[in-house]
Amino acid sequence: MATGAVPASFTGLKSRDHGLGFAKSMDFVRVSDLQRVKFRRTKVSVIRNSNPGSEIAELQPASEGSPLLVPRQKYCESIHKTVRRKTCTVMVGNVAIGSEHPIRIQTMTTTDTKDVAATVEQVMRIADKGADLVRITVQGKKEADACFEIKNSLVQKNYNIPLVADIHFAPAVALRVAECFDKIRVNPGNFADRRAQFEKLEYTEEDYQKELEHIEKVFSPLVEKCKKYGRAMRIGTNHGSLSDRIMSYYGDSPRGMVESAFEFARICRNLDFHNFVFSMKASNPSGEGEDGRMKSAIGIGTLLQDGLGDTIRVSLTEPPEEEIDPCRRLANLGMRAADLQQGVAPFEEKHRHFFDFQRRTGQLPMQKEGEEVDYRGVLHRDGSVLMSVSLDQLKTPELLYKSLAAKLVVGMPFKDLATVDSILLRELPPVDDKDARLALKRLIDISMGVLTPLSEQLTKPLPNALALVNLKELSTGAYKLLPEGTRLAVSVRGDEPYEELEMLKSIDATMLFHDLPYAEDKISRVHAARRLFEFLSDNALNFPVIHHIQFPKGIHRDDLVIGAGTNAGALLVDGLGDGLLLEAPDQDFEFLRNTSFNLLQGCRMRNTKTEYVSCPSCGRTLFDLQEISAEIREKTSHLPGVSIAIMGCIVNGPGEMADADFGYVGGAPGKIDLYVGKTVVQRGIAMESATDALIQLIKDHGRWVDPPAEE
C-alpha cells in the first residue's frame, strides 16, 4: 500500500449521465465544448473549460479501440527520471508527510486494542524499530475508550510516536477517538455507505445525489472535529470494499477507488480542511516472508520509481515490528532514486500503457531448418527464468540438474513445471572435459538454452550453445567468426546512443539482455529499460527481453528481493519483459531461483505454485494468523494455479480477496467461514477442523491433486 499527500491543487475528471466535467481547484464545471481532433495518428477529444481561462483537457482512448476515454496527461513528474511528485505537507502529530520530507514508514498493531498493556508494549517495540507512525484498529466504544489509556501510557513512557485510528463502519467511534489520536483513517466504502453486496443496482442522478448528501451529513462532523483538534485524516480506499453506488457507476475498477476517495476529499475541501492524505489498497498485496516482501516491492517500489508516494507500509503476515526493516529498505531505495534523480536522457514515450495492461510479448524462438536441437524451450511463453551456472556445479551433474528444478529419471534430466529455462555459463569447460560437456549436452537435449560469452564460444566452442554478445562486438563484426547459424543473445544497457541501438535492426537475435551495472548512480534501470522498449516498438523489433540484474557481493537478502521486485517488477507489471536473470555471487542458488519464479508469479505472469492472499493481521483478527497460514501452506503449497485467501476477518468485505479461488476467513471467535470466490459456502466451522474442510472444498471443486512423492 502506498499513500500520498494531496497536492496543492488537485484536478479530476468525472463522467456520468449528464456528460463530462473538468475539475480545476475545488469546483467541477460543465463542459461547453467537446471537439474531436487528430493527435498524432489518434483522434482524441478536447474539452475546454466553460469558465474563462485557457485550461484544456485532452482525452484519448485508454487503449486502441477502447470506448473509455481518459485524460492525456502525465501520471508522474517525469517519465525519464525519478522525481518526487509535488505534494503539500500534512502534519500527523509531530511528523510531517509530503514531498518535502522523507518517505515515512508505518505499520499496524495486531493486539486486541482493549488490552492496553499489550498494545502499548507492541507500539513501543514498533517505535524502537524506527517507525514514524503506528495504526491501531478501533472497532467500537470499548476500543475507543482504551485508546485514551494507550495514548496516556505511551506519553508517560516518553513515546510520542503519532497514533492513527483505523475506523470501519463507526462514525461515532471516529468522533470519540479523534479527541486523543493524531490521525483518523476512514474507509469511504463503509464509513457512511454499506459495503458492496455485489448486486446490480441502478442509480438515477437523483439517487446518487441523495447518497452524496447522506455521506456529507455523516462525515462532516468528523471533519469539523479534526479541524478543531488539529488532527490529520487518511482517506483510505480498499479495492475490496467499494460501495454498490460506486460499483454501479464505475465498476470494480481503479477509477471507482479514486472517485470513492474524491467524494470524501471534496467534503473536506468544502469545509476548508486540507490536512489529509489518500491511500489506495489493491485486493491481494499481502503475504509473509519473501513472497510478502516481493509483492510489496513490485507494488510499492514501482510507484516510488515514478516518484509517487509519501508514506508506505509493507504489509506482512508477521509481527508488525518485523515490517519496519523491509519497509525502510524500500523507502531508502525510493528516496535514493529521487535524491539522485536517477534516469536517462529525455525521450518520447508512446507505447507504454498507463491505464490498462497490455503485455508486449517478444517472439519466442522458432525452430529453423537444419538445426540439430530444439530451441523452442529456451524461453517460456509466460515468462522465463535464467540462472548463472559455474564450472564447479558441472562437476556434480545430478546435483546441478536438481538445483535447476529438473526431474530426474535414472539420472537423466527432464523439464518440469518450474524448471529453469536457460543457463548462463561465463566460462566453458575445457574441450577435453568430457564429463562436464556431456552434462551440458544433456541440458541442451531437453531444450534448455546454454548461453556463453562470445570469447568463450570462439575459443572453446560448445555445440548448439547461444553466444552472448554486446553492441561493441556487433559493431566490430567479431560475431561473424562463429559458425553459420549460431544463435545470438545481445546484451544492451538501454541508455546507449540511438545510432548504436540501430545495429539491432540488422541481426537475428534469439533474445536481448537488459543489463545495466548495479553500481550506476545516475542511470535508472527502470527508465533505461523503458527507453529500450520504446526503441524496439518504434522499429517493430520483437526480440524477447530478459531483465539481467547483477547484484554486488554481500547484498542483504531483503535488499536483493526488494531490488529485484522494484527494478524488474516495475517493468513486468507494465507488460515490458519476457524473463529474468538474477545474479549474486554469494547467495544460495536455490534462493535466487525461487526469487525469480516468485517475481514472475507476483507480476501475474508464470504461475508455478499456490498463490496465497493473506491479510497482515490487526486487532480484529479472530485467530492466530501466522500459525494458521503456516498450517494451510504446509498442506496446500503444491497446487499451482490455485489461489487461497487467509483472512483474519471480513471487515473489508469479500472483495478484499477478490482474486482468490477459495477463502478461509475468521467469522467469529473460534469459528471459520469458507468462501468460493466472493461467496460464502460454509459458515461457523470449528477452527480445529477448518483446514481439512478447506482441503475438501478444493477437492469438491476439482482443483486438488495429491502432493508429489518424495524422490
Side-chain angles (χ1 to χ4, degrees), residues 180-198:
C180 66
F181 273 18
D182 305 280
K183 181 180 175 185
I184 308 298
R185 181 273 171 117
V186 297
N187 180 350
N190 60 33
F191 185 81
D193 281 327
R194 66 172 189 169
R195 67 172 177 236
Q197 305 301 301
F198 303 100

Side-chain angles (χ1 to χ4, degrees), residues 89-100:
T89 294
V90 168
M91 295 302 301
V92 184
N94 58 356
V95 172
I97 298 175
S99 58
E100 300 302 313

Side-chain angles (χ1 to χ4, degrees), residues 135-303:
R135 185 156 48 111
I136 298 173
T137 188
V138 188
Q139 303 102 298
K141 185 178 181 303
K142 291 180 180 179
E143 287 81 5
D145 291 342
C147 288
F148 287 82
E149 296 181 55
I150 291 167
K151 181 71 172 181
N152 290 336
S153 181
L154 287 167
V155 170
Q156 290 170 12
K157 297 175 184 291
N158 293 318
Y159 281 84
N160 294 310
I161 186 169
L163 303 180
V164 184
D166 192 61
I167 303 293
H168 294 268
F169 304 109
V173 172
L175 286 169
R176 169 74 169 146
V177 80
E179 296 175 11
C180 66
F181 273 18
D182 305 280
K183 181 180 175 185
I184 308 298
R185 181 273 171 117
V186 297
N187 180 350
N190 60 33
F191 185 81
D193 281 327
R194 66 172 189 169
R195 67 172 177 236
Q197 305 301 301
F198 303 100
E199 301 168 352
K200 285 191 174 181
L201 299 177
E202 295 295 328
Y203 281 81
T204 65
E205 187 67 25
E206 183 180 357
D207 293 336
Y208 202 104
Q209 191 57 40
K210 282 182 179 178
E211 291 210 5
L212 291 180
E213 291 170 2
H214 170 69
I215 290 171
E216 184 169 4
K217 180 180 178 181
V218 174
F219 182 53
S220 292
L222 178 61
V223 176
E224 295 289 6
K225 195 151 197 177
C226 286
K227 280 178 62 179
K228 176 182 176 182
Y229 284 91
R231 307 305 187 201
M233 188 181 294
R234 168 178 153 193
I235 301 173
T237 307
N238 275 4
H239 175 227
S241 55
L242 299 177
S243 67
D244 280 320
R245 175 176 45 78
I246 288 291
M247 296 273 278
S248 71
Y249 263 91
Y250 301 98
D252 187 9
S253 68
R255 190 179 176 206
M257 294 173 66
V258 171
E259 181 60 26
S260 180
F262 273 20
E263 289 177 350
F264 277 60
R266 293 185 193 106
I267 296 170
C268 291
R269 291 172 72 88
N270 287 338
L271 294 172
D272 197 28
F273 178 71
H274 310 282
N275 201 44
F276 63 92
V277 303
F278 288 130
S279 72
M280 305 282 153
K281 181 182 178 184
S283 62
N284 68 342
S286 304
E288 64 180 355
E290 286 156 15
D291 281 356
R293 286 158 176 79
M294 179 62 77
K295 284 185 179 180
S296 294
I298 294 168
I300 301 172
T302 297
L303 298 172

Side-chain angles (χ1 to χ4, degrees), residues 238 240 281-287 317 612-618 620-626 628-629 632 643-660 662-668 671-675 677 687 694:
N238 275 4
K281 181 182 178 184
S283 62
N284 68 342
S286 304
T317 311
Y612 296 98
V613 181
S614 56
C615 72
S617 186
C618 69
R620 291 183 171 88
T621 301
L622 297 169
F623 54 83
D624 187 325
L625 197 63
Q626 294 175 62
I628 295 298
S629 292
I632 292 174
S643 178
I644 300 173
I646 308 166
M647 313 297 289
C649 70
I650 202 63
V651 68
N652 287 322
E656 183 83 354
M657 53 184 188
D659 295 326
F662 304 97
Y664 179 109
V665 180
K671 301 293 183 181
I672 300 299
D673 298 339
L674 295 182
Y675 283 71
M687 190 179 300
L694 172 65

Side-chain angles (χ1 to χ4, degrees), residues 289-290 293 297 316 322 325-327 329-330 555-564 587 591:
E290 286 156 15
R293 286 158 176 79
L316 301 174
E322 298 303 316
D325 182 67
C327 192
R329 293 175 190 275
L330 189 51
I555 188 168
H556 190 282
R557 279 195 171 197
D558 279 359
D559 283 331
L560 189 152
V561 171
I562 289 168
Q587 290 290 350
F591 165 70

Side-chain angles (χ1 to χ4, degrees), residues 332-608:
N332 288 345
L333 197 67
M335 286 191 290
R336 182 173 183 272
D339 290 345
L340 295 173
Q341 293 208 346
Q342 290 177 336
V344 293
F347 65 96
E348 186 180 11
E349 194 170 40
K350 306 184 293 291
H351 300 284
R352 185 162 61 98
H353 294 268
F354 306 145
F355 296 101
D356 63 348
F357 177 80
Q358 291 190 28
R359 184 181 170 196
R360 173 202 177 271
T361 305
Q363 176 62 59
L364 295 175
M366 300 178 68
Q367 200 65 12
K368 298 177 183 178
E369 188 176 351
E371 289 184 325
E372 298 174 353
V373 297
D374 188 352
Y375 287 100
R376 289 172 296 180
V378 303
L379 295 177
H380 193 283
R381 68 180 184 276
D382 296 328
S384 304
V385 169
L386 286 75
M387 295 290 292
S388 179
V389 169
S390 68
L391 285 179
D392 281 344
Q393 288 173 282
L394 287 174
K395 294 176 181 177
T396 51
E398 288 197 17
L399 289 179
L400 171 62
Y401 302 152
K402 287 183 178 179
S403 69
L404 297 171
K407 292 182 76 172
L408 289 180
V409 179
V410 197
M412 299 292 287
F414 292 90
K415 278 194 170 181
D416 201 0
L417 183 70
T419 303
V420 170
D421 300 290
S422 291
I423 62 172
L424 171 64
L425 205 60
R426 295 190 180 278
E427 184 180 357
L428 286 174
V431 176
D432 60 358
D433 189 342
K434 294 181 180 179
D435 291 340
R437 289 189 165 240
L438 177 60
L440 291 172
K441 180 182 182 301
R442 285 177 173 166
L443 293 176
I444 291 172
D445 286 344
I446 63 169
S447 199
M448 183 177 291
V450 175
L451 297 92
T452 191
L454 175 63
S455 58
E456 288 292 297
Q457 188 65 357
L458 287 174
T459 56
K460 295 177 286 185
L462 177 71
N464 303 309
L466 290 81
L468 179 61
V469 301
N470 56 39
L471 291 180
K472 184 178 180 181
E473 290 166 333
L474 284 183
S475 67
T476 63
Y479 72 98
K480 295 178 181 178
L481 297 172
L482 293 166
E484 185 178 353
T486 300
R487 287 186 176 254
L488 299 178
V490 183
S491 181
V492 295
R493 290 170 51 99
D495 65 336
E496 297 94 341
Y498 285 118
E499 53 267 26
E500 292 184 22
L501 292 175
E502 291 283 330
M503 287 184 286
L504 296 174
K505 295 181 182 180
S506 61
I507 60 145
D508 180 18
T510 299
M511 66 186 83
L512 302 185
F513 280 16
H514 176 243
D515 185 4
L516 192 73
Y518 193 83
E520 287 279 2
D521 272 342
K522 292 294 288 183
I523 308 298
S524 159
R525 169 177 292 276
V526 170
H527 296 92
R530 288 174 179 169
R531 179 178 180 270
L532 172 63
F533 283 109
E534 280 297 314
F535 174 83
L536 296 176
S537 295
D538 281 342
N539 292 280
L541 298 174
N542 60 351
F543 303 123
V545 177
I546 303 300
H547 297 296
H548 184 192
I549 306 179
Q550 300 181 60
F551 292 99
K553 187 175 183 179
I555 188 168
H556 190 282
R557 279 195 171 197
D558 279 359
D559 283 331
L560 189 152
V561 171
I562 289 168
T566 297
N567 288 293
L571 298 157
L572 295 174
V573 294
D574 276 340
L576 302 177
D578 300 274
L580 300 162
L581 171 55
L582 306 180
E583 293 190 82
D586 53 354
Q587 290 290 350
D588 178 69
F589 192 88
E590 184 178 4
F591 165 70
L592 291 173
R593 187 194 72 226
N594 290 338
T595 298
S596 300
F597 278 107
N598 288 347
L599 178 48
L600 290 179
Q601 182 153 333
C603 292
R604 308 289 183 89
M605 291 178 67
R606 187 170 174 181
N607 205 314
T608 52

